[in-house]
Amino acid sequence: MQTQNNQIQVGSIVKSKSGHDSGSFYLVIDMKQSFAWIVDGRRRKLEKPKKKNILHLNKTNQIVNVTDFDTDKKIRRVLWDYNFGLSNSSPN
C-alpha cells in the first residue's frame, strides 16, 4: 500500500459519509466524472458495485492496486482493519 495525493481515484480506500452505509469503508474500483463505483466484498461485491457521488465519500490516505484485489475475499481482507479494527477509529 502507498499514500497518494488528496484526490479520490481508482484504488482509494474511502469512507462513506452519507446514506444508509455511512461510516463504512469501501474500495473504489472505477471512476467516471463525479461518481465512484465502490465495493466492500460483503454487501457490495465485485459483481454489483455501488455507484456513489464522490461528494459523499471521505478519502483515507491509502491507495491500493485494484488488480491485486480480484476477489471479494481479498477486498474484505484489506478493508477489515478499517471496518472492524480493534481501536474502531478512522485511519486518515
Side-chain angles (χ1 to χ4, degrees), residues 4-91:
Q4 201 68 334
N5 60 13
N6 62 358
Q7 295 285 74
I8 293 176
Q9 61 190 43
V10 172
S12 294
I13 295 178
V14 295
K15 182 178 182 181
S16 174
K17 61 182 181 179
S18 66
H20 74 280
D21 59 354
S22 66
S24 297
F25 288 88
Y26 293 90
L27 175 64
V28 176
I29 61 166
D30 196 10
M31 295 281 302
K32 291 209 175 42
Q33 296 170 343
S34 63
F35 291 97
W37 277 259
I38 57 175
V39 294
D40 67 357
R42 289 184 316 136
R43 290 168 292 195
R44 287 298 176 173
K45 299 190 179 208
L46 282 169
E47 300 84 40
K48 192 170 182 179
K50 178 173 180 64
K51 179 181 175 183
K52 192 138 178 119
N53 189 318
I54 61 171
L55 296 175
H56 300 158
L57 298 170
N58 281 333
K59 183 186 166 303
T60 65
N61 290 330
Q62 294 298 317
I63 307 288
V64 298
N65 184 352
V66 292
T67 59
D68 294 341
F69 299 96
D70 55 351
T71 66
D72 291 318
K73 185 175 182 178
K74 290 178 183 178
I75 292 168
R76 287 192 306 270
R77 192 174 298 145
V78 76
L79 295 175
W80 178 264
D81 287 337
Y82 291 93
N83 284 317
F84 305 108
L86 294 176
S87 67
N88 207 14
S89 63
S90 315

